[in-house]
Amino acid sequence: MKYKITSNFGSKESFREKSHTGIDFQMSEGTEIYSIKSGIIHLKDYGSTNAGKTIFVDWEDGKTAIYGHLSKFSVTDGQKVNAGDLLGYSGNTGNSTGAHLHFGLKGNGQFIDPSPYIEQIQSMGKSLQQLTAVQFNFSDFFHQHMSIFNDMFSTLKIHLINMITLTDYSPFIKCFQYIIQFLFFNS
């Protein structure tokens, strides 16, 4: 699902005293918000001002991501998170005109344009969920077909043993026998 961008970085709307310091993504209250990069969490609740319930994620590259106007936190102050970890839920806290996510970015103590991360915000959480589903499906497939793999390996092993016991002592056959012994029977 793509979230509508309702305010861009640097926008000067009539209800703002200064230029917008992030990007606003319209989303229903309670939408799961995931970290787009690994880092350390810092929480701030500005009450009915500023960005309300806000999560700061100090990234390993020195930048700080800002997730604002949340309804609820799912992390604790000082916690280490990885990309894809649940941070909290979107909301309408602070000085807000409706349910949305304010995503900001700071570098060297200054607000910087977070536009390069729009696609990651648009798809946050999806890639991790899809990867988990693929791993789960592969695991199910493997367990369901394990007996087939065991049968195939047993048959292959019997054929390899038969090849090793061949009496043709040509250099090619001997070399091949040593390779098979090394690969399959020395582990």
Side-chain angles (χ1 to χ4, degrees):
M1 168 181 213
K2 294 277 187 180
Y3 303 106
K4 179 181 178 183
I5 295 176
T6 57
S7 182
N8 286 300
F9 179 76
S11 294
K12 297 179 181 178
E13 291 96 355
S14 61
F15 57 89
R16 294 188 198 283
E17 293 178 16
K18 52 187 172 180
S19 297
H20 193 214
T21 59
I23 299 173
D24 289 345
F25 296 86
Q26 182 181 13
M27 52 182 69
S28 302
E29 188 157 344
T31 300
E32 293 178 337
I33 305 297
Y34 296 91
S35 184
I36 61 170
K37 283 192 170 193
S38 300
I40 303 296
I41 297 294
H42 298 285
L43 303 177
K44 182 73 174 174
D45 189 342
Y46 295 101
S48 61
T49 65
N50 204 333
K53 291 183 185 225
T54 304
I55 296 176
F56 299 87
V57 182
D58 291 337
W59 292 347
E60 294 164 351
D61 66 2
K63 293 183 182 100
T64 299
I66 303 161
Y67 299 81
H69 302 291
L70 304 183
S71 62
K72 182 179 174 186
F73 299 137
S74 294
V75 290
T76 57
D77 201 53
Q79 179 180 338
K80 166 98 170 90
V81 294
N82 295 309
D85 286 352
L86 180 66
L87 296 176
Y89 301 88
S90 64
N92 190 25
T93 61
N95 185 11
S96 176
T97 58
H100 71 287
L101 169 68
H102 168 88
F103 180 72
L105 192 62
K106 275 190 163 184
N108 296 320
Q110 302 295 315
F111 287 104
I112 57 177
D113 187 0
S115 295
Y117 301 97
I118 288 175
E119 283 306 312
Q120 287 178 279
I121 292 293
Q122 293 287 15
S123 62
M124 66 182 164
K126 293 177 189 170
S127 57
L128 179 66
Q129 292 164 353
Q130 291 166 347
L131 177 60
T132 303
V134 168
Q135 289 172 337
F136 179 75
N137 291 339
F138 176 76
S139 177
D140 285 352
F141 174 82
F142 183 76
H143 288 295
Q144 289 172 0
H145 297 87
M146 190 120 159
S147 62
I148 294 169
F149 293 128
N150 284 337
D151 292 344
M152 286 176 17
F153 184 72
S154 295
T155 303
L156 177 62
K157 197 170 185 177
I158 290 168
H159 288 300
L160 292 174
I161 289 170
N162 289 339
M163 289 181 92
I164 290 172
T165 59
L166 287 175
T167 57
D168 182 354
Y169 291 105
S170 70
F172 176 75
I173 294 294
K174 275 310 236 189
C175 183
F176 188 66
Q177 287 173 333
Y178 290 131
I179 291 171
I180 291 171
Q181 283 177 329
F182 178 78
L183 291 176
F184 291 96
F185 299 105
N186 285 341
S187 53

